[in-house]
Amino acid sequence: TAVLPEDYDPRIRSWYQEAVAAGDYTIARPYIYASIKALGITGAIPVYHPDGEFVGILGIDILLDSLTNLIEHLKIQKQGKAILINEEGEIIVDQFAEALKYSTELKQFTLKEPQELILSKEGSFIGEIEDEKMYFAYKRNNITGWILIIALPYNAIMAGANKTIGVIAVIDMLLMIMVIVVIGMLSSRIIIKPLKDIIGVMQRLENGEQKARVVVKSRDEFAVLGRQFNRLVDIIEEYA
């Protein structure tokens, strides 16, 4: 059971201060929660009184372990796997690594300079993981700044191809375009859209729409989050 320490003050936490400074919705860099020794992120948005006075910050916590579970449900063709990194090059999710329950350390992505990935926004490269040649395609999400990378075994995607230089170049270009499109769809579906839906309800509540609630359709971790959010809003409305 998650329990906050008696002297807990959210106003000194990084997620709170970042949201105050931005004056808008933010996703905090992964950190160790005060209530449980595990890494997670917090989506936070400032809340204001109708007269414009600042009230506080509303935050939603998501364990990195929950994001890992979401990624694990992806069925990537050709034995492909996904890696999710943040703007600092820290690995948020890695299907190549053995999942560690309640991990408290983040590893750096070392196959490519993170700043290069951020600047180019999308693209592809070839590298090796555990001595296996891999084809990597990546795309940066403009909202979170995170980069979703799909890795495919090079031999698997080139099997049966006529390996002349011209054909390889065409296949490489087509693969890059196709995988980047898929990455954008996956990134939006599994991470961005659920968060944006919850944020939208927050903003509707902030504007006085007291009956606004999150519509829960899936059965994943975001569905649990949506139900708990609705329950919290119901409790607040009862005491209002």
Side-chain angles (χ1 to χ4, degrees):
T1 303
V3 178
L4 290 169
E6 292 183 2
D7 61 347
Y8 180 77
D9 184 353
R11 295 170 299 179
I12 65 173
R13 304 291 287 183
S14 59
W15 58 267
Y16 189 103
Q17 295 177 350
E18 288 172 12
V20 170
D24 200 353
Y25 175 72
T26 58
I27 296 180
R29 178 181 174 184
Y31 65 96
I32 298 177
Y33 290 146
S35 57
I36 183 173
K37 293 301 179 184
L39 280 168
I41 59 173
T42 296
I45 187 170
V47 177
Y48 298 91
H49 192 273
D51 63 8
E53 181 183 358
F54 175 74
V55 176
I57 299 294
L58 180 59
I60 298 176
D61 292 336
I62 303 174
L63 286 169
L64 294 193
D65 187 64
S66 296
L67 287 179
T68 300
N69 291 338
L70 286 172
I71 295 292
E72 286 298 329
H73 291 135
L74 297 179
K75 302 297 182 183
I76 303 173
Q77 298 297 315
K78 301 292 185 180
Q79 302 174 339
K81 294 186 178 182
I83 302 172
L84 184 65
I85 66 175
N86 63 13
E87 291 180 295
E88 287 74 33
E90 297 167 323
I91 299 175
I92 307 297
V93 175
D94 183 2
Q95 285 191 307
F96 287 94
E98 182 180 352
L100 297 176
K101 191 73 173 178
Y102 296 153
S103 173
T104 58
E105 293 184 3
L106 287 177
K107 294 182 178 180
Q108 285 286 324
F109 184 75
T110 58
L111 293 177
K112 195 80 169 177
E113 178 60 42
Q115 197 61 32
E116 184 178 340
L117 302 182
I118 292 170
L119 291 175
S120 59
K121 296 185 179 180
E122 61 183 49
S124 66
F125 61 94
I126 294 174
E128 288 189 1
I129 292 183
E130 298 177 352
D131 297 325
E132 182 178 8
K133 190 176 183 181
M134 307 291 290
Y135 177 94
F136 297 88
Y138 62 91
K139 184 176 179 64
R140 179 176 181 268
N141 185 276
N142 293 328
I143 298 175
T144 64
W146 293 354
I147 300 167
L148 184 60
I149 304 168
I150 300 296
L152 302 167
Y154 190 82
N155 291 334
I157 62 176
M158 295 303 296
N162 181 6
K163 297 183 180 180
T164 62
I165 295 177
V167 171
I168 290 176
V170 172
I171 290 176
D172 189 64
M173 181 179 66
L174 291 176
L175 278 171
M176 182 184 73
I177 294 172
M178 181 174 62
V179 174
I180 285 174
V181 170
V182 173
I183 286 174
M185 294 171 61
L186 292 176
S187 178
S188 176
R189 179 169 61 86
I190 66 177
I191 297 174
I192 305 305
K193 188 180 184 304
L195 283 178
K196 288 183 71 175
D197 289 345
I198 295 174
I199 295 164
V201 173
M202 289 182 187
Q203 292 172 335
R204 287 164 60 193
L205 289 167
E206 182 183 345
N207 292 331
E209 192 176 333
Q210 297 181 354
K211 298 301 180 182
R213 297 293 186 272
V214 176
V215 178
V216 178
K217 296 180 180 179
S218 64
R219 297 183 179 179
D220 54 23
E221 283 79 1
F222 282 110
V224 175
L225 185 63
R227 284 192 292 269
Q228 292 298 322
F229 176 83
N230 289 341
R231 184 165 173 265
L232 174 62
V233 174
D234 289 339
I235 292 172
I236 293 173
E237 188 176 7
E238 287 178 10
Y239 283 92

